[in-house]
Amino acid sequence: MRRYILCIITALIMLVMSFSAKASNSNIEWTKEEKQFMEEHPTIRMGIDPSFVPFEFIDKDGEYKGIAADYIDLIEEKTGFKMKVVEELTWAEAYEEAINGTIDVLPAISKTREREQYFIFSQPYYYFKRIIVTRDTDTKIKGINDLYGRTVAVQRNSSYQSYLMELPNINLSLYESVEEALTAVANGTEAYYLGNLTTSNYIIHNNGLTNLKFVAFEAEKKQGIQFAVRKDWPELVDILDKALDSINQQEKENINNKWINTEIETDYWPIIRIVLIITSTLILIWLVSIYWILKLKKEIKQRIEMQEDLERMRKEAENANDIKSKFLARMSHEIRTPLNAIMGMAYLQKKTSLSITQKLYNERIIKSSNSMLGLINDILDFAKMEADKIELERISFSLDQVIQDVVNIVSYKIDERELEFRLIKNPQLPTWFYGDSKRLEQILINLINNATKFTSKGEISFEIAMIAKEEEYCHIEFILKDTGIGMSQSQIADLFEPFSQGDSSINRRFGGTGLGLSIVKNLIEMMGGEIQVFSTPLNGSTFLFRIRLEIDQPREAHHKDERYSVYSVCFNNLRSLVLEKMGEDRNLIDNYLGAFGMQCEMTSSEITAINMLETIQGDMEHGYDLLIVDYKTPTENGFQFIETLRKNKKIIKFPKIIMLFPMMREDLFDLMEEYQIDIGIGKPIISSVLYNALIELFHNKSVAIEKTNNNMVETKKVMDMKQLKVILVVDDNTTNQLIVQSLLEEVGYRVYKAGNGKEGIAIFKEHQMEIDLILMDLHMPLLNGYEASLEIRKISADVPIIAMTADVIQGVIEKCNDYGIYQYISKPFRPEQLIACVHNAVYKEENAEKVGEIFLDQAHAFKMLGNNPEIYRKVITEFLNENQNTVDELSNLLQVKEYAQAAQMVHKIKSSLGTIGTEKIRNQSIDLQRMLEENEEQEIVAVSQSFLSGLSKLLEEIKKELLK
């Protein structure tokens, strides 16, 4: 009876709806043109997407169904059209035929700017929202911006393809259907899909893709489903819009409920089955409960004993970990102390009169000491990683310097195995970055040493490439290839596990703990990068890792300006000839010289080189200015080749000579003067080293620079030598005393020495009025550094105390603060680090007493100008003369808004400011130049006032300095 009543009610509702629809249809007022169009075109050809569920699709019986199909049924009733589907076409084919005009209407499509070129659109009849679909384990994607730089799956010729093509840095992976794209994301072939919520949800639930999730974005925007009509039928759009307007709300809700909120008749059998299972389980539990109750007391007793065992094991583990930490700290301390003496003595020896070969050997000692320090740090790093205590520094560093340091450390191992080593670096890469240079160096040394260990013949190739460059960041790829023994896939799988080397035979043949690569992987991931390995047994290995580094914009800009400033040289009119047999090295040199602006010609034949020099050098105006010769390229050697050239009478004007020496052939540097070689460079070739060599050859030097191993090493000196500052060094190690004394006296300090804490206190009491700073070792006999510092603080609360210790355990800094020690230097220290720390501490109070802000950075200028007072005065005098009227002239240009000329004036003095001015005023000049070039009027007013004020004060300070 109840069912009968429901049927009657349903029939009445359908009757009313039918009447309403007919009434609606009868109320549509067609224009004359619209009626004529309907008569002339009774049949409309439609192109559909056969799998765009639930909007439109072809079911298993071949029928056209979906939301769009139901709307089309209503439109056919209201218009009299016969809207026919063109069958057996994919969506891509239907879309192309619609563009070509062989299909009249696309009934379920979204409007995009691209599609508006080919179609006119009806009003939307259904709305949906865009979503990103990922696997449920992915937590990286929060919105559309997170997809930049990634690959996204999308349906071909869909609105989402057009949408994504308008966004930068997103790669598209095109699929013929949404179902294929979603399946690819579910099985891991693709990582992301972009589409609409309705279709994606429908397919996911119908196909059981349970490992996917949605990420909504642009929540405030709704995307519409519309009819796309060929452009020459605007009447059809008007007809469709009127028909859509006549569809009432109830009809729309019925369609929506049919496909989106479909009600399903409840199937009670699963519930009954669950009830039966639960009942059976309860009966089974009841039957076995007696057994478990009988065993409960015994189980409780066993658990108590187990808990006691676990607690005992936990305490033993904590004790063992504590012993390990103490052992690591003690071991580190005992090794670091003599290592500090080795590094210090090597540094002092470098200051003596040495031959070029001795200097290079000495540099190797320093680099190898640093390498040994790195090994110690590896062990400590691993312990820190286990405890999640390791942190990365953010300091400014030169990538070229890092590469040079790495090459110096690993070169002797490569040469020992007689391997070729190739270095390829993109010349467009910036030089200065922010980051942890020591950790990057640690990564590269580990990888190159690993490649060297497993390569018995052939070569090692090290490439640094730039993947992409943003405004503030650079994406860099490091690639290391070797021709060694290679690895199987099973060995690669265990490669980054600590204390693992693939298999025991590897360990027996090559040694090592397998700890380095584990640390490498952890450090790269901490830097936000990833590392990959590609290898085949007996065919070598390739290690590849990518990181993103922040560019040090001020130093990089200054670095670029230096290359084109008045203190540098313009290479545009210089010509060079390169004699090099290795193709990769020729290309690298060509790229470097091209980046410097120098004209370059290449050859691998010594005969050709001689002919070129004879033919062209006769013309004094168009001759070669520079000849770069690889030592190993000529048949005999590079020296003999140069001797032959000098005897050739046809070469009238002899060029400058740069000779490229093989790795680890420091003995050849001693022969350069004998064969009149201007400059020697050791391979592999690094951009900055080659650039410095060119500067030295073609620029009249105005700065005093000390060179060692082709690297510029600047020696900091105390500027005020009239009244020497006094340092008290308290250290029980006499070697360390000697090193610190020598370093400090070399830069203008007087030094008192004490061998323990009691002696240090006595000396401080006697010379309290003289001593400006105390360097305090923490571990000494009789009285340690902590207790001695506490006693000194009772005498003076102001004297700076800097701790010197090889301790690396946690809590040292906090303990130092408790005992009145507020600065800390870890052994082994670098000499430059010690001098800088002492200088900053000694002169900190003196600088603080100066009134007003300082704009003339004397310390920086001295460093840039080789610590030469005469050149310093010439430079600041020339700057003052050139800029006497700059403030007034720049003010006038700004007042009349002549921003282009003002930008040129600011650019002209910017490089000089980088040499003699503070970082603040130079940064203001960089900002002001950019604002002037981009006509940012509001920002120019504020920045220009501050810059002009600073420039005026700088000029006043220069005048005062010149009067001294």
Side-chain angles (χ1 to χ4, degrees), residues 37 43-49 56 64 68 72 75 81-86 89 91 94-95 97-99 101-109 119-122 125 226-233 236-237 240:
F37 182 89
T43 301
I44 305 297
R45 297 167 297 178
M46 294 193 305
I48 68 161
D49 184 343
E56 62 176 5
Y64 176 51
I72 288 169
I75 291 172
F81 281 134
K82 176 62 177 177
M83 304 186 77
K84 182 181 179 181
V85 175
V86 179
L89 293 180
W91 167 241
Y95 186 83
E97 292 203 18
I99 291 176
T102 55
I103 284 179
D104 306 321
V105 173
L106 300 175
I109 192 169
F119 309 108
I120 49 179
F121 290 84
S122 72
Y125 60 86
Q226 301 161 264
F227 287 87
V229 179
R230 51 194 287 180
K231 274 205 165 185
D232 56 342
W233 283 7
L236 181 56
V237 173
L240 292 174

Side-chain angles (χ1 to χ4, degrees), residues 577-780:
L577 176 61
V578 179
L579 176 58
E580 167 65 75
K581 65 180 178 181
M582 302 305 299
E584 291 183 356
D585 286 347
R586 285 204 310 273
N587 294 336
L588 191 65
I589 297 171
D590 189 26
N591 289 337
Y592 286 162
L593 294 178
F596 302 153
M598 182 177 286
Q599 302 175 48
C600 177
E601 296 180 40
M602 319 291 295
T603 182
S604 60
S605 167
E606 54 190 294
I607 296 176
T608 303
I610 293 173
N611 291 336
M612 295 172 74
L613 289 166
E614 289 177 346
T615 303
I616 298 178
Q617 288 296 138
D619 185 347
M620 298 294 287
E621 294 183 0
H622 300 92
Y624 290 104
D625 301 282
L626 172 66
L627 174 63
I628 300 177
V629 179
D630 174 35
Y631 178 81
K632 297 174 68 175
T633 294
T635 306
E636 297 179 63
N637 61 53
F639 290 144
Q640 297 302 321
F641 176 72
I642 297 301
E643 283 285 283
T644 302
L645 287 183
R646 294 192 185 279
K647 295 175 183 178
N648 191 329
K649 302 299 183 181
K650 295 181 180 180
I651 301 178
I652 300 173
K653 175 186 173 184
F654 210 80
K656 298 284 188 180
I657 305 294
I658 293 179
M659 188 160 289
L660 308 177
F661 293 123
M663 186 182 295
M664 294 302 293
R665 287 298 307 272
E666 286 83 0
D667 57 302
L668 297 177
F669 285 87
D670 289 337
L671 301 175
M672 285 169 38
E673 185 174 354
E674 178 183 344
Y675 290 96
Q676 301 179 51
I677 305 300
D678 296 291
I679 286 183
I681 297 177
K683 285 190 172 184
I685 306 157
I686 295 174
S687 172
S688 59
V689 174
L690 179 59
Y691 180 81
N692 291 336
L694 296 176
I695 288 291
E696 185 168 337
L697 285 177
F698 298 107
H699 180 45
N700 294 326
K701 294 190 291 183
S702 62
V703 297
I705 297 175
E706 175 189 354
K707 280 190 169 51
T708 177
N709 197 24
N710 305 309
N711 288 322
M712 294 187 178
V713 179
E714 300 162 349
T715 305
K716 182 177 290 187
K717 296 187 180 294
V718 179
M719 293 170 57
D720 185 4
M721 302 294 290
K722 297 177 182 178
Q723 183 177 359
L724 300 182
K725 302 293 184 178
V726 180
I727 312 297
L728 171 59
V729 179
V730 187
D731 195 319
D732 63 321
N733 189 303
T734 55
T735 304
N736 283 342
Q737 284 183 7
L738 175 62
I739 291 169
V740 174
Q741 180 183 10
S742 301
L743 290 173
L744 295 178
E745 287 180 348
E746 182 185 353
V747 294
Y749 291 100
R750 285 196 296 122
V751 176
Y752 288 120
K753 296 182 292 182
N756 57 63
K758 284 189 176 181
E759 188 179 338
I761 295 171
I763 293 176
F764 182 73
K765 287 180 178 178
E766 183 180 353
H767 302 281
Q768 178 182 351
M769 301 307 294
E770 299 177 60
I771 294 174
D772 298 285
L773 181 139
I774 300 172
L775 292 173
M776 181 75 70
D777 185 24
L778 296 182
H779 297 286
M780 296 178 291

